[in-house]
Amino acid sequence: MDSNTTETYMGEWKNDRRVGYGVCERSDGLKYEGEWYNNKKYGYGVTTFRDGTKEEGKYKNNVIITSNKKKHLFLIRSAKFRERIEAAVNAANRASKIALQKADIAISRTATARGKAEQADIAALHSREDSDIARIHAKQFAPDFHQPGNSRRAPPSIRLPLRRRSGTGPGTEQGHRDRSRY
């Protein structure tokens, strides 16, 4: 194969190798459709050459060992191979549809997670603002007020993990307040 020739394969894989039914097309016009084993043509398949001629038969290690020219050796199993190929194509189509559905689900879940993360960032910002307001009010009513554990405050650009304490969050008796603005 020429170094400028590209090859595409669509079909079954196992352990990062072509195994089962697959179609391999090359940019130079060569196409093989059939069975593979260990990355090699192995079993029934059809090779279509650049000029449109076809070579159909049983392959072993990329070499054709029976062809239509020797019909008496091949016609007995031809129908069975074709049935297996059709079944493999149908299975590959089903697997492709399932993979596309799963990709759509993953995209949707990613978008949902991104939205929730943005909402959490906004809620954290509002909490920080509420904390600043509460600190200002505390200083007004008690000028010597010093909030314990707040000697070093991280700059707003650094994200800190938020921890929720049980019994003090929204919806509990102790920490309940209106959060409709979030």
Side-chain angles (χ1 to χ4, degrees), residues 34-160:
E35 295 177 292
W36 295 83
Y37 179 73
N38 204 21
N39 263 358
K40 294 182 180 176
K41 299 174 195 173
Y42 203 100
Y44 175 77
V46 178
T47 299
T48 305
F49 296 96
R50 202 177 352 192
D51 62 2
T53 60
K54 293 184 178 185
E55 180 179 76
E56 183 176 353
K58 189 172 181 182
Y59 287 80
K60 187 173 185 178
N61 294 323
N62 285 339
V63 178
I64 192 161
I65 55 173
T66 61
S67 70
N68 279 344
K69 294 176 185 170
K70 301 177 185 176
K71 290 185 178 182
H72 64 280
L73 294 176
F74 190 68
L75 284 178
I76 298 170
R77 298 187 66 193
S78 177
K80 290 180 186 177
F81 284 125
R82 288 185 194 275
E83 287 175 13
R84 284 180 61 196
I85 288 172
E86 287 174 10
V89 167
N90 291 336
N93 286 334
R94 282 192 307 273
S96 172
K97 286 178 184 176
I98 290 170
L100 289 173
Q101 289 172 346
K102 288 183 178 184
D104 287 344
I105 290 169
I107 290 168
S108 173
R109 287 181 178 168
T110 301
T112 301
R114 184 178 296 120
K116 288 183 178 185
E118 288 171 0
Q119 289 174 347
D121 286 344
I122 291 169
L125 180 64
H126 288 197
S127 295
R128 184 175 301 272
E129 290 169 356
D130 290 347
S131 173
D132 292 341
I133 291 169
R135 196 174 301 105
I136 290 168
H137 286 285
K139 286 269 189 197
Q140 286 175 352
F141 293 111
D144 59 341
F145 172 77
H146 175 70
Q147 184 176 353
N150 198 22
S151 59
R152 288 187 328 177
R153 185 170 175 192
S157 61
I158 297 176
R159 288 184 156 190
L160 298 176

